[in-house]
Amino acid sequence: MLRRNVNLLGAIAFWGTTTLTLSTALGQEVVVAPILGHADGTPVEAAADKPMIRIAAVPQEKNDPFKPAPPAVAPKEEAAPAAEKEAETSEPVELAAPKQDAPAEKSEQESEAGEPKPVPAKTMDIPADSLEPEKKEAEPAKPAEPKEEPAQQPAPLMQDKDARPIKEGEADPEKKAEEPAPSVTEEEPKVEKELPPEVRSLKPRIARVLSYYYKTQPSDASKHDVWETMHGFLPWGVDALIRTPQYRQPVSTIGWICWNKPCRGHKLFEVKNGKLEARQGPRVQGHHGQFLAMLAQSYVPASYEIQVDGQSFTVADLIEFEKETCQPKSELTFKLISLSYYLPADATWTSRDGQEWNIERLLKEEITQKVVGAACGGTHRLTGISFAVASRKKAGLPMDGVWAKAQEYLDAYHQHSFNIQNRDGSFSTNWFEGRGMDRDIDRRLQTSGHILEFLIFSLPEEELTSPEIVNAVNYITTIMEQNPKHDWSIGPKGHALHALVLYDQLVFGTKPGSRTEEILQTSHD
């Protein structure tokens, strides 16, 4: 009797395992899309042996990726990362009062409207001189040819291995490749300077913080509008994922918005007179050119596809829209960021009202406006100026006239930021108006995250290991490390995490798109 029971149980276990394995293998199909071209727009030849990026797993009988499917199940939150020991940081960071002492701001859009307008402080408003920009005939933009058979879903973004933020003094990688390698007798091999211990100790902590927030707090198309979703993908760029009602698993956030899919019922794009346009206002983008600026900071190529109402466009069409809608005496901050990235440094164009524009004119318009009182304390305006200056230097064009003044402008704000920096490494909670150390932890993250992001964008790389920057990075890392369950506002959280991502890339050499590579390693076997 006992032997018969053992045989019976063995047969049941065997058939149960076999059935489960077959149902798993046959019941799921991985929807994939090929790797995109490089960030500079050059195409990549398709190769059958190259990996494909996993987008979503859908039932075999539902091959249409846009066919409604049960909503994605939110993943369980991982345990909060343990706080680092005091020996690992230069000194313990004093944390602010809990959330209930001061409510967190809902978003940067709402905070800008709700905050009292600060009294203008003494700022370096440099008037634009009478330099006449060199006029060049703008080459007519080649319209993007619509694809005959569009893909079933947005292609995931795969980053070029050499993509990185624009920094001063960097040579063009293509030109570098053309030059012959110097002999040993002509030039001594460059020896990289070893990072100080206090900098090296930040690397594993930053990695843990970024990994935690990336894995546990993806965007949700049913809960977050377009503005919130944009700030959700800002730190992660091409790696950003979003939960949607249509898919069982998260999909590319940038692809979702570029295919004009709804975020909390709102869509970013529309087509007018056959041309692509981006809406501006509450729940979409708070400023003209804001979405394109975030694509630029994510190194998205101009050839990436945008789909609106069945019509096919590319990011290049969005660039043309932002060029054509330039208006004098308006906020051009985000246009300056994006167009400095996507256009040649000496590019010229004509707006819809017939005016001639170039990057130099955009810079003049921005540099003559005040920093204090601008969006997010003026940090975005300073970031735009930084992008323009870096692009000019990279192109090897003269740094005279308004360009020299712009560099002086940035240098002055660098020094001013450090002069009013708090002892714990945080920056002033009064932005650039003067010293400030508000106890509200949300306010601290908002101001310190934005200011640190601007400084990392604009400082020379050798200054990123200075004590002032190291203390600021340590501060942001610590408060996000010690408060993983805090309900951070999406805007301030996105910019603070983006500052850590930039530091991780520029100081520790982490490549953009590395999280996509991790997905490839775990899901394409």
Side-chain angles (χ1 to χ4, degrees):
M1 178 65 71
L2 179 60
R3 184 175 182 180
R4 185 176 62 183
N5 290 340
V6 171
N7 293 337
L8 181 59
L9 290 174
I12 292 174
F14 172 78
W15 287 110
T17 304
T18 304
T19 304
L20 180 59
T21 303
L22 290 175
S23 61
T24 302
L26 298 177
Q28 298 288 325
E29 179 186 10
V30 175
V31 179
V32 296
I35 294 174
L36 293 187
H38 298 298
D40 60 2
T42 57
V44 175
E45 296 182 0
D49 58 341
K50 291 188 177 181
M52 308 288 276
I53 299 178
R54 185 170 187 247
I55 299 300
V58 295
Q60 182 71 27
E61 63 274 9
K62 296 181 179 180
N63 287 332
D64 183 2
F66 286 132
K67 197 170 182 180
V73 180
K76 296 182 179 179
E77 288 193 343
E78 298 179 2
E84 291 296 313
K85 297 180 181 179
E86 291 184 6
E88 199 168 348
T89 59
S90 56
E91 60 180 9
V93 179
E94 177 186 355
L95 295 182
K99 178 186 169 186
Q100 56 266 26
D101 292 346
E105 300 172 35
K106 174 61 179 174
S107 68
E108 289 176 279
Q109 284 179 296
E110 297 175 5
S111 64
E112 290 169 16
E115 287 183 359
K117 190 173 182 179
V119 179
K122 184 178 181 181
T123 59
M124 297 188 58
D125 296 318
I126 302 176
D129 52 18
S130 58
L131 294 175
E132 288 295 330
E134 184 180 354
K135 297 182 180 180
K136 296 184 179 181
E137 295 182 5
E139 297 181 3
K142 186 178 180 180
E145 298 180 0
K147 298 182 179 180
E148 297 180 0
E149 295 181 4
Q152 287 185 319
Q153 63 181 23
L157 290 165
M158 187 62 183
Q159 188 51 55
D160 175 58
K161 64 179 181 180
D162 295 322
R164 57 192 283 114
I166 298 176
K167 297 300 293 183
E168 299 175 8
E170 284 189 345
D172 190 333
E174 294 183 0
K175 293 182 180 179
K176 187 179 293 184
E178 297 173 359
E179 298 175 357
S183 61
V184 179
T185 56
E186 294 178 356
E187 185 178 352
E188 292 292 333
K190 184 178 179 180
V191 178
E192 293 186 3
K193 186 177 180 180
E194 185 178 0
L195 295 175
E198 61 271 17
V199 177
R200 295 199 305 269
S201 66
L202 287 171
K203 183 175 182 180
R205 297 178 56 216
I206 291 175
R208 283 196 296 270
V209 168
L210 294 179
S211 178
Y212 174 82
Y213 284 93
Y214 175 72
K215 292 178 180 178
T216 64
Q217 300 182 14
S219 298
D220 191 323
S222 62
K223 298 178 181 178
H224 301 139
D225 58 39
V226 178
W227 184 91
E228 293 170 321
T229 304
M230 287 194 305
H231 285 78
F233 82 67
L234 177 61
W236 322 119
V238 299
D239 292 317
L241 299 175
I242 185 172
R243 296 194 193 105
T244 69
Q246 285 83 349
Y247 297 106
R248 296 177 185 272
Q249 296 183 7
V251 298
S252 168
T253 307
I254 293 178
W256 183 261
I257 298 179
C258 283
W259 276 47
N260 214 31
K261 295 299 177 181
C263 297
R264 199 179 172 186
H266 299 272
K267 297 181 179 181
L268 178 60
F269 299 112
E270 59 185 344
V271 179
K272 290 185 178 180
N273 299 322
K275 291 187 175 183
L276 177 71
E277 296 194 359
R279 298 184 175 97
Q280 186 271 329
R283 305 301 178 188
V284 281
Q285 57 178 357
H287 311 270
H288 292 289
Q290 189 174 24
F291 179 69
L292 184 60
M294 290 192 175
L295 292 185
Q297 293 172 73
S298 301
Y299 324 117
V300 176
S303 59
Y304 189 65
E305 187 178 17
I306 296 176
Q307 282 270 346
V308 183
D309 299 332
Q311 301 184 53
S312 180
F313 301 92
T314 64
V315 172
D317 295 299
L318 182 58
I319 295 171
E320 289 302 312
F321 168 74
E322 298 299 348
K323 288 164 57 179
E324 293 174 358
T325 53
C326 289
Q327 294 182 351
K329 297 181 180 180
S330 64
E331 185 193 50
L332 298 168
T333 296
F334 295 95
K335 289 178 183 284
L336 182 57
I337 292 174
S338 57
L339 297 182
S340 294
Y341 178 82
Y342 283 111
L343 299 181
D346 57 353
T348 62
W349 65 92
T350 304
S351 60
R352 289 181 179 178
D353 58 3
Q355 297 191 45
E356 292 294 322
W357 287 87
N358 55 18
I359 302 297
E360 184 173 354
R361 183 177 178 182
L362 285 175
L363 177 63
K364 285 182 179 180
E365 290 282 345
E366 282 295 287
I367 211 171
T368 54
Q369 299 191 48
K370 293 182 178 180
V371 169
V372 174
C376 300
T379 54
H380 296 314
R381 176 157 287 151
L382 291 172
T383 297
I385 296 172
S386 303
F387 261 71
V389 168
S391 176
R392 181 83 173 182
K393 289 183 177 181
K394 187 176 182 180
L397 297 175
M399 294 298 296
D400 54 4
V402 69
W403 296 100
K405 292 181 179 180
Q407 184 62 67
E408 294 176 2
Y409 200 78
L410 293 175
D411 293 340
Y413 271 99
H414 292 160
Q415 189 59 49
H416 182 60
S417 300
F418 296 137
N419 288 342
I420 61 177
Q421 186 177 14
N422 298 315
R423 288 185 177 182
D424 62 1
S426 65
F427 290 105
S428 173
T429 52
N430 289 329
W431 297 108
F432 298 108
E433 294 181 72
R435 293 188 178 277
M437 197 172 181
D438 198 305
R439 288 188 58 81
D440 180 15
I441 194 173
D442 293 278
R443 180 68 173 179
R444 285 173 169 237
L445 185 77
Q446 181 189 34
T447 54
S448 293
H450 277 82
I451 294 175
L452 179 61
E453 182 186 38
F454 149 65
L455 291 172
I456 294 176
F457 265 129
S458 56
L459 284 171
E461 287 193 29
E462 60 269 18
E463 295 187 28
L464 297 182
T465 55
S466 65
E468 294 85 358
I469 294 296
V470 171
N471 290 339
V473 173
N474 174 63
Y475 178 80
I476 295 294
T477 303
T478 300
I479 64 173
M480 302 203 77
E481 185 179 48
Q482 294 182 351
N483 299 274
K485 300 293 182 68
H486 186 81
D487 186 19
W488 302 109
S489 294
I490 289 181
K493 180 179 72 172
H495 286 286
L497 288 171
H498 189 217
L500 295 183
V501 167
L502 289 172
Y503 197 81
D504 191 38
Q505 292 174 5
L506 294 170
V507 176
F508 302 126
T510 302
K511 295 188 301 181
S514 59
R515 291 174 179 83
T516 301
E517 291 180 2
E518 292 177 6
I519 294 174
L520 286 172
Q521 294 293 330
T522 57
S523 65
H524 186 75
D525 296 326

